[in-house]
Amino acid sequence: MMAETAQAPKNVKFVITRQDDPQSSSYTEEFDLPYRPGMNVISALMEIQRNPVNAKGDNTVPVCWDSNCLEEVCGACSMVINGKPRQACAALIDNLEQPVRIEPMKTFPVVRDLVIDRSRMFNALKRVKAWIPIDGTYDLGPGPRMPEKKRQWAYELSKCMTCGVCLEACPNVNAKTDFIGPAAISQVRLFNAHPTGEMNAEERLEALMDDGGIDGCGNSQNCVAACPKGIPLTTSIAEINKQTTKHMFKRWLGV
Amino acid sequence: MRGFYSRKIHSLLGVIPLGGFFLEHMLTNFSAVEGGASGFTDSVLWLNSLPLVFFLELFGIWLPLLYHGVYGLYIAYQSKPNLNRFKLERNWRYTLQRVTGVITFIFIVWHVFETRFQVTLGNVKHEELGGLMHNIVTQPLLLTFYIIAIVAASFHFANGLWSFLISWGITVGPRSQRVSSVICLGLFVIVTVMFLVSLVTFRDSEFQTTATALQSLKTFI
Ligand code: HEM
Ligand code: SF4
Ligand code: FES
């Protein structure tokens, strides 16, 4: 604390893209906030909420955003920071070039300011049946065991927090296509790898062979570079390419 | 459901038969380097002596090209390039795959019009194609256009092969995709050089002809 107070006060400049409601057009507003050691984009937004004054010194409406966990596990705070889609709670100001430019991830419908509607992510999970059906009218007993080696890579896939960064990074996810995006494809690989989930593998593959499915991928491979969880998305996509291709031939040949 | 199959067909046609034809075209042109004007004419005549050549062209070139080309334009139109945000090597290739597709499309329309279509119209005989090419590549502007198109089409073919291997689940992990990147880059270089060497060879005076039909075509061009 001593060291901090001894430091000369400095300011951090923010340029925030705002939007009042889903229909209205966006505009930018600048803010000058006092620097505090360890501050991140969320704490900066909290500061604006506490004292909603913009860089011109005018009173303004606080900027709206979404966040929950504040430790990069829920995905709610995803936004575009200095051109890169990422989690605001993990974006330390010390590591960012200034002015810090903050925009909503416009691949998704903007609700207000930085708040977006990620429903399509969750609808995609429903569409591909990203779960393992085990409910029945009687006890089915224990399922088959998963080999440890497989468990290890499957665990990596299970880290997905449905944040939507990979969709924002993908040049094929846009208003002209209905591409489901990398995240759901990777979840199909996860659930198809599970020894019990495997029993419904074909249902998931067929969901991805439907409109807006895996054929939407154009191999730009931005997703794997952008994913904050380091999920091997392009390996998942290629693996599902393999599974759907096999399934296609199997269906044709009536095997 | 329909999107999946039409996309698979687009991908397959890019390699079989179009990729195969592209390599065949490269070798035919290269016979001009190896055998001179007569060597090139022999290759052209041999190709046209193949049985059912009309159907070979129709199902091996025209229809696949029409399908892959038109659908390819649509795929390119649907993309929203974001190189400004993601300056990554793979994203560059993704973008270039679409740009080179469009260049290739424009080039092929023009190239087929001034060569193969003129044969169909009866303005040019197969034996005169070497001379026709000579007239084209001795004009600096057209030579430049051809060079750009060769580099673009070769990139589109080689990088397309890389992406084909992923689309069919043949190269799955990052290592195999890296190895195939290197192989396809090598293929890009080899194909580009072979086409370019042939192109320059057509500038040789031995390809010059005095056929009146060609002269008129030259002024037309
Ligand atoms: C006529 C103009 C053409 C256009 C507009 C065009 C367009 C495209 C586009 C946009 C793609 C990207 C598909 C994707 O990655 O999602 C593509 C892929 C491809 N193209 Fe073309 N193309 C053309 C001609 C050709 C020719 C002549 C060849 C053969 C030499 C070829 C071979 C390929 C291959 C192998 C792929 C990769 C397929 C895949 O990723 O699954 N294309 N084309
Ligand atoms: S795969 Fe990665 S980038 Fe995509 S939604 Fe999941 S955590 Fe986010
Ligand atoms: S608030 Fe949960 S990831 Fe940022």
Side-chain angles (χ1 to χ4, degrees), chain A residues 72-75 87 118 121-122 125 130 153-167 181-188 190-191 227-233 236:
Chain A
E72 208 182 49
V73 291
C74 76
Q87 279 67 51
R118 286 180 299 134
M121 300 289 299
F122 307 103
L125 293 177
W153 64 252
Y155 177 64
E156 295 304 318
L157 307 188
S158 74
K159 288 180 182 169
C160 175
M161 53 186 175
T162 337
C163 69
V165 160
C166 52
L167 274 77
I185 297 174
S186 190
Q187 290 305 297
V188 168
L190 170 65
F191 287 96
C227 174
K229 292 291 168 185
I231 295 173
L233 290 166
S236 291

Side-chain angles (χ1 to χ4, degrees), chain A residues 84 168-169 172 221 251, chain B residues 5 80 82 85 90 94:
Chain A
K84 294 278 180 307
E168 176 74 18
N172 273 10
Q221 303 206 338
R251 236 178 14 191
Chain B
Y5 291 104
K80 193 179 164 201
N82 54 6
R85 276 189 187 176
R90 299 277 159 95
Y94 162 89

Side-chain angles (χ1 to χ4, degrees), chain A residues 58-86:
Chain A
D58 299 338
N59 284 332
T60 182
V61 184
V63 179
C64 290
W65 80 92
D66 231 350
S67 65
N68 287 302
C69 71
L70 300 182
E71 54 176 356
E72 208 182 49
V73 291
C74 76
C77 67
S78 309
M79 52 188 78
V80 180
I81 301 167
N82 284 348
K84 294 278 180 307
R86 55 183 297 190

Side-chain angles (χ1 to χ4, degrees), chain B residues 33-54:
Chain B
V33 179
E34 287 186 320
S38 62
F40 178 69
T41 304
D42 286 347
S43 301
V44 173
L45 292 178
W46 177 78
L47 268 181
N48 285 285
S49 72
L50 290 176
L52 298 174
V53 67
F54 173 78

